[in-house]
Amino acid sequence: MPNKTAATKKAMVRAIKLFILGVILQGGYIHGRHKLTYGVDLDQIRWLGVLQRIAIGYFLAVISEIWLVNNNLVDSPVSFAKKYFMEWIMAMMITTLYVALVFGLYVPNWEFKVKISDPTFSTPISLVEMRTIHCGVRGSLGPPCNAVGLVDRVLLGENHLYKNPVYKRTKECSINSPDYGPLPPNAPDWCLAPFDPEGLLSTLMAAVTCFVGLHFGHVLIHCKNHSQRMLFWLLASTVLTIFAFLLLLLGMPFSKPLYTVSYMLLSAGVSGFLLLLLYYIVDVIHIKKPFILFQWMGMNALIVYVLVACELFPTLIQGFYWRSPENNLVDITESLLQAIFHSKQWGTLAFVLLEIVFWCLAAGFLHMKGVYLKL
């Protein structure tokens, strides 16, 4: 759009729509496929999630694309760098802010509430107990004392954070690790603490991946032949991956919950290599038919995410059952596959793969009917 103000308004409206949709889907209103209930206490609503993170990252990237890119003609690598130089500066500033806060913020001792059952009454009741996490450190990247959690607790509040974070699957917190399970004996108190993997501070680094995506898109626009595009993508992916492992050697782990700089670089680099491979197969040597399912899925990615990843469709299907809520089509199919493979893990994997194929075909049907959901 030639009018920057109008483009900014359009981007803002789209980001707000994505954010609101994310709150509805992941704020706690929908209780999941194993619970035939819905509704959320506004005092406990989760404000952040995957779509909210995408909305924030999209907005930062698109505002940079609108206001920081000049109108210079690109006819060489030097002119390419000059055109998008300020966007790269913006990405580096966001990264610098993240690193400064993660390693500079002092994390004091903090408390959180835990609901426990009291079996001494004839009718068990739930009591609220306060637990204290002892920190008093800077620069910790462990589950209990990192600055990412501190920022979310201060700005969002404990009640509005994710209640079932991935670290509850660690050996310290689950006897069924790497799966969720009962607490082991002498488990640390932080195993019961809330933590949002799509929190504010980690979303800053996730937003930088949008800037990486912009760079790959710019290469696609300005390089007119396959060899140039693949060369620039290969170079960018290699640099990102090398720097990721350099940071790992310097002590920064690959952590998705914290979205560390090393994790961001690694995920961006690996994604670049994957893009390069698929581009070569589909666009250069024209092997397209085996990947048509991915194309259909990409054309309706939002509706598939809403119905499947947020478990909206399985929840609706489970609402129809025979005599008992457990006797529904979704659970029966998964149990049947587990029995066929004589393994819960392999049966669940087969169920997930079957679900993916089903939704690829469903997306293809929507494509043939010309039905697309977008914001």
Side-chain angles (χ1 to χ4, degrees):
M1 301 176 67
N3 187 326
K4 291 187 176 183
T5 302
T8 302
K9 181 180 178 180
K10 184 177 181 180
M12 185 178 298
V13 170
R14 188 180 190 215
I16 292 173
K17 288 180 179 178
L18 277 171
F19 195 96
I20 293 174
L21 181 61
V23 172
I24 294 172
L25 293 173
Q26 295 186 310
Y29 183 80
I30 300 170
H31 296 174
R33 49 175 282 201
H34 295 294
K35 296 181 180 179
L36 302 180
T37 58
Y38 64 91
V40 62
D41 181 356
L42 293 179
D43 186 53
Q44 302 287 329
I45 192 170
R46 182 189 176 201
W47 293 116
L48 296 177
V50 175
L51 287 181
Q52 297 94 307
R53 168 169 285 182
I54 293 174
I56 294 171
Y58 159 78
F59 184 72
L60 290 175
V62 76
I63 291 300
S64 299
E65 183 74 6
I66 293 170
W67 293 99
L68 300 182
V69 175
N70 58 56
N71 295 321
N72 296 345
L73 179 67
V74 174
D75 55 9
S76 68
V78 174
S79 61
F80 179 89
K82 287 182 178 179
K83 185 176 181 69
Y84 299 111
F85 178 75
M86 289 304 300
E87 278 191 344
W88 300 349
I89 294 296
M90 181 70 170
M92 286 188 284
M93 289 175 61
I94 294 174
T95 303
T96 302
L97 176 63
Y98 170 88
V99 172
L101 292 175
V102 165
F103 291 99
L105 281 179
Y106 175 77
V107 182
N109 298 341
W110 56 282
E111 296 181 335
F112 67 97
K113 300 175 184 177
V114 177
K115 290 184 178 180
I116 58 174
S117 297
D118 190 339
T120 58
F121 292 87
S122 56
T123 302
I125 62 173
S126 294
L127 302 176
V128 176
E129 184 178 286
M130 298 299 297
R131 300 288 179 89
T132 301
I133 304 298
H134 298 280
C135 294
V137 296
R138 298 180 194 271
S140 173
L141 298 178
C145 298
N146 58 76
V148 174
L150 170 67
V151 170
D152 290 336
R153 291 192 298 271
V154 171
L155 298 182
L156 299 177
E158 173 197 327
N159 290 347
H160 302 289
L161 303 183
Y162 188 49
K163 303 298 191 295
N164 203 31
V166 69
Y167 62 65
K168 289 189 176 182
R169 297 166 57 178
T170 60
K171 292 181 179 179
E172 294 89 344
C173 301
S174 172
I175 60 175
N176 296 332
S177 181
D179 199 356
Y180 292 105
L183 290 172
N186 302 318
D189 286 338
W190 53 260
C191 290
L192 301 173
F195 177 83
D196 208 310
E198 283 85 35
L200 290 169
L201 194 52
S202 57
T203 294
L204 284 180
M205 279 314 303
V208 176
T209 61
C210 295
F211 286 84
V212 176
L214 277 178
H215 171 71
F216 278 75
H218 294 151
V219 171
L220 186 65
I221 291 173
H222 295 293
C223 297
K224 301 305 180 183
N225 61 68
H226 297 316
S227 59
Q228 284 184 333
R229 290 170 178 171
M230 295 176 66
L231 177 62
F232 279 109
W233 286 345
L234 178 62
L235 179 63
S237 301
T238 302
V239 170
L240 289 168
T241 306
I242 289 174
F243 272 96
F245 282 99
L246 285 177
L247 289 179
L248 179 65
L249 293 175
L250 292 175
M252 181 176 286
F254 299 139
S255 174
K256 185 179 185 297
L258 302 182
Y259 226 100
T260 53
V261 180
S262 56
Y263 174 82
M264 183 278 295
L265 292 171
L266 180 67
S267 60
V270 172
S271 298
F273 285 126
L274 182 59
L275 172 65
L276 183 64
L277 176 63
L278 291 174
Y279 180 82
Y280 176 76
I281 295 173
V282 175
D283 290 271
V284 178
I285 61 178
H286 301 290
I287 301 177
K288 297 183 178 182
K289 288 186 178 180
F291 301 96
I292 192 67
L293 294 178
F294 296 147
Q295 182 181 351
W296 292 341
M297 184 79 81
M299 288 178 171
N300 252 317
L302 183 58
I303 192 171
V304 172
Y305 178 81
V306 169
L307 292 177
V308 187
C310 296
E311 297 191 324
L312 187 58
F313 183 78
T315 301
L316 292 173
I317 293 296
Q318 285 188 312
F320 298 94
Y321 56 86
W322 177 257
R323 296 184 177 178
S324 173
E326 293 77 21
N327 298 329
N328 61 79
L329 182 62
V330 178
D331 286 344
I332 289 175
T333 303
E334 186 172 4
S335 299
L336 178 62
L337 289 171
Q338 290 174 356
I340 292 173
F341 286 92
H342 303 288
S343 168
K344 180 179 180 180
Q345 288 80 7
W346 287 106
T348 301
L349 176 61
F351 175 78
V352 171
L353 293 176
L354 180 64
E355 196 173 24
I356 291 172
V357 172
F358 171 80
W359 281 105
C360 285
L361 296 175
F365 175 78
L366 293 175
H367 168 58
M368 294 173 187
K369 295 295 182 180
V371 177
Y372 307 100
L373 176 64
K374 60 181 180 179
L375 295 177

